Amino acid sequence: MQIVALAGGVGAGKFLRGVDRARAGEPLTVVVNTGDDITIHGLHVSPDLDSVCYWLAGLMDRERGWGRAGETFHAMDALRASGRVDAWFNLGDRDLATHVLRTQLLHEGRTLSRATAELCESLFGLTTSVIPMTDDAVTTRIDVFHAAGEALDLHFQEYWVQRHAEDPVKGIRFDGIELATPAPGVLDTIARADVLLLCPSNPVVSIGPILAVPGVRDAVAARSGPVVGVSPIVGGAPLAGMADKLMPVAGLEVSATGAARAYRDLLTGWVIDERDADAAPAISAELGIAVAVTDTVMRNDDVAAALATTAIELAT
C-alpha cells in the first residue's frame, strides 16, 4: 500500500512519525510545504522540510518542538556578541550543518528536490521519500497592520518567528505561485497513492501552499482513491502555531469543521479529536464524508501511531 502525505509544520512531523510506526513497512512519500523557506545568513533554510526529516529520523527536539535534540547555539551566540548581526532566527549548531549542506548542493546546481533527497540519504539515513512541493521559489507573505497602524509586508518567518504573530493580519499570499510547477514526482505520487493523507497542519500556510501549486489541487481532486485529513484544531484552538490568527483571514472558522472546509471537495474522510465529537455528524452531512473521532493530541509516539492507524483505516 503506497501512502502519500501532504505536510508542513510540527504537527505534521509528529503525525508522520506515527505513520512511520503504523505503516509496517508500507512505502511512504511526503510532499512538503516550502512557502516558509528563507535565506538566513546566506543559507537556504527550509523549516518544514527539516522538521519533517528530523521527526522521521528521530532527531527532533521534542521539548522545543523545533530544531534538533541535544542542540547547542554557539554560532548564534557568537553572531549576537559581534553586535553586527540581528540573529532573530535561532539556528542550532547541528541544524546549521543541514543548511550549509543544502546551500552547497544548491550552489553546485542541484534542484531543491534533488538536494533534499541527498540530505535524506546521507545526513538523516531516511528511506522515506521526502519531496518539496516545488523546486521553484514560492514565498508565503503576510500583510499586517503594525501596532501604529502602518501596513507591513512580511515574510512568513518575520511574522511568526521575529514578531511572534502579534500583528493583526489583513492578507496572505504566496509570491511566485503562479509560475511554480510541482517538483518531479509530486503529481504522479498523488495520482498513484493508495492512501493520501493531509497531515494535521495549518490549512492556510502549511497545506494551503502545496495545494496552490498549479496542478496539485486538481490532482488531489481527480483521485479515485481516498483522501483523509486530520484536524489541526482541537476544541476550537490550534494545539500549536497561529492557525487561529490566519484561518479567519482565509474565511475559515477556527474549528474542526472550519479546517475540514478548507479541503472541501477533496476529502473522503476527516479525523477529529474526542473533544469535538459533537461536530462529527454535521461535518459528515455537510461535506459528505466519513468522520472518525479519536485522541488527536500527540503526546508521544504511541498516540501518534494510534492516530495514524485511525486515519489509514478510515481510508481503507
Side-chain angles (χ1 to χ4, degrees), residues 179-260:
L179 300 178
T181 58
V186 168
L187 297 184
D188 287 344
T189 293
I190 290 172
R192 296 176 183 175
D194 296 302
V195 174
L196 181 63
L197 300 174
L198 305 185
C199 291
S201 306
N202 187 315
V204 179
V205 293
S206 291
I207 304 298
I210 303 175
L211 294 175
V213 175
V216 172
R217 190 179 188 98
D218 289 343
V220 176
R223 281 178 46 78
S224 58
V227 179
V228 173
V230 179
S231 175
I233 306 298
V234 175
L239 294 173
M242 76 312 293
D244 55 328
K245 297 177 182 292
L246 301 184
M247 287 176 67
V249 179
L252 298 171
E253 175 184 280
V254 184
S255 66
T257 303

Side-chain angles (χ1 to χ4, degrees), residues 267-290:
L267 295 171
T268 61
W270 188 239
V271 182
I272 64 176
D273 191 74
E274 295 161 338
R275 277 172 274 185
D276 298 308
D278 290 348
I283 295 173
S284 180
E286 177 184 341
L287 300 181
I289 59 175

Side-chain angles (χ1 to χ4, degrees), residues 3-259:
I3 302 172
V4 175
L6 306 189
V10 174
K14 291 181 178 181
F15 178 68
L16 289 167
R17 189 159 174 82
V19 172
D20 198 42
R21 293 185 62 183
R23 68 190 173 107
E26 301 286 359
L28 172 63
T29 300
V30 187
V31 179
V32 184
N33 168 49
T34 57
D36 297 2
D37 285 20
I38 189 170
T39 300
I40 297 288
H41 310 310
L43 302 175
H44 185 112
V45 179
S46 296
D48 281 0
L49 282 170
D50 296 337
S51 181
V52 164
C53 289
Y54 292 164
W55 275 103
L56 286 170
L59 300 173
M60 176 63 73
D61 187 304
R62 292 173 180 267
E63 292 187 9
R64 282 199 314 265
W66 58 270
R68 294 185 57 164
E71 191 62 276
T72 55
F73 294 88
H74 301 306
M76 291 297 105
D77 290 343
L79 286 174
R80 294 186 183 104
S82 73
R84 298 177 61 87
V85 176
D86 180 12
W88 57 269
F89 198 93
N90 215 14
L91 300 172
D93 299 323
R94 290 182 173 88
D95 193 33
L96 273 170
T98 302
H99 312 315
V100 169
L101 286 172
R102 176 187 295 114
T103 304
Q104 178 179 326
L105 291 170
L106 293 173
H107 283 174
E108 291 174 356
R110 270 65 152 202
T111 60
L112 182 58
S113 55
R114 185 63 249 166
T116 300
E118 292 189 31
L119 289 175
C120 284
E121 180 180 356
S122 64
L123 196 60
F124 307 131
L126 291 176
T127 57
T128 298
S129 178
V130 179
I131 309 175
M133 66 186 196
T134 181
D135 285 330
D136 300 310
V138 173
T139 305
T140 299
R141 306 291 304 186
I142 310 294
D143 294 317
V144 306
F145 288 112
H146 186 269
E150 177 187 4
L152 299 177
D153 175 3
L154 304 175
H155 188 288
F156 173 79
Q157 301 298 347
E158 293 173 322
Y159 164 74
W160 173 230
V161 178
Q162 185 178 37
R163 302 174 68 87
H164 312 293
E166 293 177 351
D167 301 291
V169 177
K170 66 172 184 173
I172 303 160
R173 69 183 192 278
F174 309 130
D175 276 6
I177 198 70
E178 298 86 357
L179 300 178
T181 58
V186 168
L187 297 184
D188 287 344
T189 293
I190 290 172
R192 296 176 183 175
D194 296 302
V195 174
L196 181 63
L197 300 174
L198 305 185
C199 291
S201 306
N202 187 315
V204 179
V205 293
S206 291
I207 304 298
I210 303 175
L211 294 175
V213 175
V216 172
R217 190 179 188 98
D218 289 343
V220 176
R223 281 178 46 78
S224 58
V227 179
V228 173
V230 179
S231 175
I233 306 298
V234 175
L239 294 173
M242 76 312 293
D244 55 328
K245 297 177 182 292
L246 301 184
M247 287 176 67
V249 179
L252 298 171
E253 175 184 280
V254 184
S255 66
T257 303

Side-chain angles (χ1 to χ4, degrees), residues 299-312:
R299 296 173 294 277
N300 53 52
D301 288 345
D302 289 338
V303 177
L307 173 59
T309 298
T310 297
I312 293 169

